[in-house]
Amino acid sequence: MKSITLKLLAVNIVVMLVFALVFFTLIYSRTNERIIHLLDQQASLALQFELSIRQYAADFIRPAMYELTGEDEFYPETMSTSYIARSIFEDVRKKFPDYIIKFSSDNPRNPLNLAGPEELKIIEKFNKEPQLKQWEGEIIIDNKKYLAKFSARRMVPSCSRCHGKPEDAPTSLVERYGDKAGFYRKLGNVLGLDTVAVPLAKVIELRRSEFFEMSFYTGLGIILVLAATTFITRYLIINRLSVISKHFMNVSKDKDYRQIQSIHLKGNDEIGDLTDSFNTMAERLKTSYISLNEQVDQRTIELQNEINEHKQSEERLRQSEEKFRTAFQTSPNVITLTSVEDGVYVDINDAFTSLLGYDRNEVVGKSSIELNIWKDPKDRERVVAGLEKYGIVETLEAQFKGKQGQVIDGLMSARVLEIEDKKYLLGVTQDITELKKFEMERLDLEIKLQQAHKMEAIGTLAGGIAHDFNNILSGIFGYTQLAQTHMKKPEKAKEYMNHVRNGAQRAAELVQQILTFSRQAEYQKRPLEISAEVEETLKLLRASIPATIDFKIKLESNALVSADPTKIHQVVMNLCTNAYHSMSKKGGVLTLSLIDTEITEPKMVQGKNVTLGSYIRLKISDTGHGMDKETLKKATEPYFTTKETGQGTGLGLALVKAIVDEHEGFLEVHSKVDKGTSIFIYLPTIVENTIHEAPIYQENKSLNGSEKIMIVDDEEAIRDIMKEFLKSLGYQVYLFGNGSEALNAFQSNPDQYDLVITDMTMPELPGDKLAEEILKISPDLPIMLCTGYSENMTEDELTELGIKKIFQKPFENSELAFEIRKVFDGVNE
């Protein structure tokens, strides 16, 4: 038992050492983190304090002194923020002599503020990265390591007087410091750094002290625990196991197992249980010894029966293999057996040869890669990845190439089998080529039918749209004539021209709404606020629905859903149009509401289980003629309609259901004859992602400039307006009437222009192609594109091409000037 004692002692020592190592490592890490965090906080507070002093001096003390002194007078004690901050911080430096708290510059007026080599590197870093405001990290100053924080003090317009040109500065400032130090700074460049640095030696000293103290007490505790564990183990386990071991040795020497004696050892624990188990085993061994011969004879008979059963099983297995071989060869689906080890085909069935055109001898012994069967090698990678992860692949769509190059669409399933200790891949592929063709034709027909129904809805709106346009144009004509008659009264003429401008804006918004609704765009989901889309659709509907129908709108949800905006337009337009038709003869009330709701109980709608969770519910109801039970059952079937001939295609509610299903929602319809119809649409809501706001451009900043701008537009009036407006702001403007003329001019002198503003749709060379050619010559040249309407390229595609800004015509001149300045000043949207 001595070896067990030593082993247990060794195990205890190893466990305690591992525990001590982990614990000491944790102590060291936590101590280091806490001390660095504490010193980092001290440095941050000191830096913030100094910056606050500077800010106060810049905002209050210096302006006050400028008012009290002459224009040419300068007193650093009250006008220099660096001087004031350094003076106030003098006591802090005395209290923390090891810390570095200073303002440094690459061209200071006070030699005390001269930046060292490391600080000059940091100043260079800030100048290269204009968006960087603060930087922290380890640096070496005078061969000592410090944990430092730097805050850049950049040149702003308010600093121009004292840091711009010497002739603009106070005379006393130049006389005191000369006309070199601190002058000729450009806006945005770093004037200097506010620095707080903590010596890393301080960190090491504090860390060592705390670590040694905690390590001492921890080590002492471990030693005491180890001693106690060793003593208890010896007393409770080792000694008692020795007694059991000696008894076992005695029993092993006795050849007559009927004479085995029991162990007499007390203890209500696991060793006591071991003793009881041994005693029970001894009694059973006595009994078993007597009946052992009888059991041997019985087992001999059982083994003979098992041999007979095994022979019968082999026969059944042979018959089963024959049936499998028959099914394998005659299956209409392609079945392959492939070696997992090297990927070569071991066996194929007749469907493989007839579908792909290969003979059996051409396939067996070769891999799918050698035969180039996969049309897209990524499909094979998906199969391999699925098998490695799950051991099985089910219903994976892929395309395969036959011997003659024909492409076959297949639905593949595969699993790994083990046959005689070797792994094989069994693959089954169904030919779905014809099914895919049918599906593509069905989708194409569905898109065309949806677009036809959308055009029908536009037709319903045509009267209201014409009414709105005529009203807008009447206002524009009227106010234009009034403005002409009041040309001698500028204020009155300006008022009328503002009305003309507002009318034009309304017309532009109406055109945009019509284009948005009628565009045959691809199905594309994105986070969408449903209430905004509903309001946009209602703007189109209100003018076309007669006054006999009263609108009641209640939008109480701003939740987001993952949806396609055009599809949502289409749903609201369809349902409201249906409601209008049901009330067209007698009038009534059309109610539309939008609320948030939760589904917490299992629910089934139209044979489909509804997913529990948060939804937004859109309700559209009318007080029209309603539907009976039989009509209600057929309401969502394609081509079923209650409208009279000539009133519609009958795609409304069926189309709505299809769109709702696409968006993982569900639809409920409630209707009673002569009571009206209510339709409830449930769409699952999503949580809005965190949005990182871009830097906000200063709206009050001057819009003037002197840069050279190329303007390309085939509309002379637009060119002249933009030219006059931009020239009034100080820009140099060059006009071109088409893309080819502009491209030739640019190729002759690419450095002549700082910005290109081009129309999208032009003869000879459209705007996107012009931009593409220009960017080949000057990849960094900013280009802004204006368009009235284009289906050729999406806004994302134009942005990816390199376009800086896309304008939708018509647009405000002030908006154009604002965006131009943002481009030149390097501000992102």
Side-chain angles (χ1 to χ4, degrees), residues 112-321:
L112 294 175
N113 295 335
L114 182 62
E118 291 294 329
E119 293 163 324
L120 288 173
K121 292 179 182 178
I122 301 301
I123 291 174
E124 183 180 355
K125 178 178 180 64
F126 275 107
N127 279 328
K128 288 181 178 179
E129 302 178 29
Q131 76 281 2
L132 191 62
K133 294 181 179 179
Q134 289 192 356
W135 183 88
E136 62 179 69
E138 291 188 12
I139 64 170
I140 298 176
I141 301 176
D142 295 334
N143 296 323
K144 293 181 180 180
K145 289 186 176 180
Y146 288 84
L147 178 64
K149 284 182 174 286
F150 299 93
S151 177
R153 190 176 178 199
R154 297 185 181 277
M155 178 73 172
V156 296
S158 60
C159 301
S160 299
R161 185 184 178 198
C162 295
H163 293 281
K165 297 178 180 179
E167 55 266 25
D168 297 333
T171 305
S172 58
L173 174 64
V174 178
E175 291 175 352
R176 185 182 185 110
Y177 296 109
D179 61 353
K180 303 296 183 183
F183 286 114
Y184 301 106
R185 299 287 191 174
K186 296 181 180 179
L187 288 178
N189 280 4
V190 176
L191 291 173
L193 300 177
D194 289 298
T195 306
V196 176
V198 181
L200 286 179
K202 200 78 172 179
V203 177
I204 297 171
E205 180 184 342
L206 292 172
R207 180 174 62 202
R208 185 186 297 115
S209 175
E210 287 196 17
F211 177 72
F212 284 158
E213 181 178 350
M214 295 183 70
S215 298
F216 172 76
Y217 290 109
T218 302
L220 183 61
I222 291 173
I223 292 171
L224 292 175
V225 170
L226 179 62
T229 303
T230 303
F231 175 76
I232 293 171
T233 302
R234 179 73 181 179
Y235 179 75
L236 294 179
I237 301 175
I238 304 302
N239 292 343
R240 298 169 71 195
L241 287 177
S242 297
V243 174
I244 297 174
S245 175
K246 289 177 182 178
H247 190 80
F248 277 22
M249 291 295 294
N250 294 332
V251 169
S252 65
K253 295 175 182 178
D254 196 344
K255 297 182 179 180
D256 188 356
Y257 296 131
R258 290 172 293 183
Q259 306 300 321
I260 296 175
Q261 300 297 318
S262 301
I263 300 175
H264 301 287
L265 188 64
K266 297 181 179 180
N268 188 20
D269 53 19
E270 287 81 2
I271 296 179
D273 292 341
L274 177 63
T275 303
D276 294 339
S277 299
F278 175 81
N279 294 336
T280 302
M281 181 190 69
E283 292 299 323
R284 291 180 178 177
L285 186 59
K286 293 177 185 179
T287 305
S288 299
Y289 186 78
I290 296 172
S291 60
L292 183 60
N293 288 332
E294 297 176 359
Q295 294 178 8
V296 170
D297 293 339
Q298 180 65 30
R299 182 57 182 156
T300 301
I301 296 172
E302 291 176 355
L303 286 174
Q304 185 62 46
N305 293 334
E306 289 177 3
I307 291 171
N308 294 333
E309 289 181 1
H310 182 68
K311 290 180 179 179
Q312 294 175 1
S313 297
E314 287 181 343
E315 178 61 22
R316 288 194 296 268
L317 179 61
R318 185 188 63 78
Q319 294 176 358
S320 176
E321 288 178 348

Side-chain angles (χ1 to χ4, degrees), residues 779-793:
D780 297 328
L781 183 71
I783 298 177
M784 301 171 71
L785 189 141
C786 306
T787 177
Y789 173 65
S790 175
E791 287 186 337
N792 294 331
M793 297 187 72

Side-chain angles (χ1 to χ4, degrees), residues 382 392-398 410-414 428 430 432:
R382 288 163 56 202
I392 185 171
V393 172
E394 294 182 335
T395 60
L396 182 143
E397 286 193 25
L411 192 65
M412 181 179 183
S413 297
V428 180
Q430 178 185 358
I432 60 170

Side-chain angles (χ1 to χ4, degrees), residues 271-404:
I271 296 179
D273 292 341
L274 177 63
T275 303
D276 294 339
S277 299
F278 175 81
N279 294 336
T280 302
M281 181 190 69
E283 292 299 323
R284 291 180 178 177
L285 186 59
K286 293 177 185 179
T287 305
S288 299
Y289 186 78
I290 296 172
S291 60
L292 183 60
N293 288 332
E294 297 176 359
Q295 294 178 8
V296 170
D297 293 339
Q298 180 65 30
R299 182 57 182 156
T300 301
I301 296 172
E302 291 176 355
L303 286 174
Q304 185 62 46
N305 293 334
E306 289 177 3
I307 291 171
N308 294 333
E309 289 181 1
H310 182 68
K311 290 180 179 179
Q312 294 175 1
S313 297
E314 287 181 343
E315 178 61 22
R316 288 194 296 268
L317 179 61
R318 185 188 63 78
Q319 294 176 358
S320 176
E321 288 178 348
E322 288 181 359
K323 292 178 181 179
F324 173 78
R325 168 59 59 182
T326 301
F328 180 88
Q329 289 296 343
T330 59
S331 172
N333 295 327
V334 172
I335 304 178
T336 60
L337 194 65
T338 310
S339 171
V340 172
E341 183 180 357
D342 50 18
V344 302
Y345 289 108
V346 176
D347 201 356
I348 61 173
N349 69 345
D350 295 339
F352 184 102
T353 59
S354 62
L355 185 64
L356 297 179
Y358 289 97
D359 292 333
R360 177 182 174 79
N361 295 333
E362 294 177 306
V363 177
V364 175
K366 295 183 180 179
S367 69
S368 60
I369 297 177
E370 291 178 89
L371 295 173
N372 196 24
I373 284 177
W374 300 91
K375 184 176 185 299
D376 185 355
K378 291 183 179 178
D379 288 334
R380 179 182 176 277
E381 295 174 5
R382 288 163 56 202
V383 173
V384 173
L387 290 170
E388 289 178 349
K389 188 172 183 180
Y390 304 108
I392 185 171
V393 172
E394 294 182 335
T395 60
L396 182 143
E397 286 193 25
Q399 289 186 316
F400 304 92
K401 290 194 299 185
K403 184 177 181 180
Q404 305 302 323

